[in-house]
Amino acid sequence: MFVGLNDMMEALNSKPLQDIKMNIATPDDIKEDSSKVLQWLDSRKSSKVIVHFDLDVLDLREFRSLLVANPATYEEMKDQVPTSSSMETIIRVLQDVAKAHDVVGLGITEHFPWDAYNLQNMLQRLPLLGDINKKDKAPYNWIF
């Protein structure tokens, strides 16, 4: 089940994904309560739950360590990207799941710490900490 998904809705409505009957809980579905997620889990009768938590389900207006929140394009993206789930909403959903089911795994992905990256670049060029003659920024370490 995709929980909190705020984009790619067109792709999720494609025939291949419809054929596998992928269930979706949008940010609006989980805003007030976790019932849609809990009902789906109950219907699966699973004995164990593994959570794959992509941080990009969080609203970039609240959490900016996301690829889409690049400082160079942040203002533009803030207006283009749909409102996503708040941290408190995701905390509640995951707590509710853990209270009702045996969560045995939690993977956290899609973290891109822009502020840490920019601070590292700044510190590398300051007196006593780095090279005061350095003019260029380190390139991003893109792995995809």
Side-chain angles (χ1 to χ4, degrees):
M1 172 178 230
F2 281 114
V3 178
L5 194 66
N6 59 359
D7 58 8
M8 293 180 22
M9 298 308 282
E10 188 174 309
L12 289 174
N13 289 323
S14 68
K15 179 148 178 44
L17 288 179
Q18 284 182 345
D19 288 347
I20 63 170
K21 297 178 175 55
M22 182 64 67
N23 285 291
I24 301 165
T26 67
D28 286 341
D29 292 335
I30 59 173
K31 191 172 190 171
E32 298 300 323
D33 63 53
S34 308
S35 61
K36 185 169 184 175
V37 176
L38 295 173
Q39 288 169 3
W40 182 84
L41 284 168
D42 289 344
S43 75
R44 310 309 293 174
K45 297 182 179 18
S46 300
S47 62
K48 310 284 184 205
V49 175
I50 297 172
V51 177
H52 175 94
F53 177 18
D54 278 1
L55 293 173
D56 60 5
V57 301
L58 296 171
D59 190 21
L60 73 90
R61 293 150 197 88
E62 179 181 9
F63 183 74
R64 288 169 297 283
S65 290
L66 307 170
L67 185 59
V68 72
N70 181 333
T73 58
Y74 177 74
E75 290 302 319
E76 177 184 337
M77 294 307 292
K78 190 171 67 170
D79 295 334
Q80 290 179 12
V81 174
T83 301
S84 304
S85 298
S86 71
M87 288 179 154
E88 289 302 316
T89 296
I90 297 300
I91 290 167
R92 179 194 21 88
V93 170
L94 293 176
Q95 287 176 340
D96 289 349
V97 167
K99 289 174 186 172
H101 299 274
D102 187 12
V103 176
V104 297
L106 173 63
I108 300 173
T109 64
E110 300 290 333
H111 181 249
F112 199 98
W114 290 107
D115 293 335
Y117 170 79
N118 289 326
L119 179 61
Q120 173 193 11
N121 275 313
M122 183 183 83
L123 294 176
Q124 287 177 347
R125 299 181 344 219
L126 292 181
L128 302 176
L129 299 175
D131 180 355
I132 61 171
N133 295 310
K134 184 176 175 151
K135 301 284 185 216
D136 59 323
K137 292 182 180 180
Y140 296 120
N141 184 16
W142 299 112
I143 56 173
F144 51 89

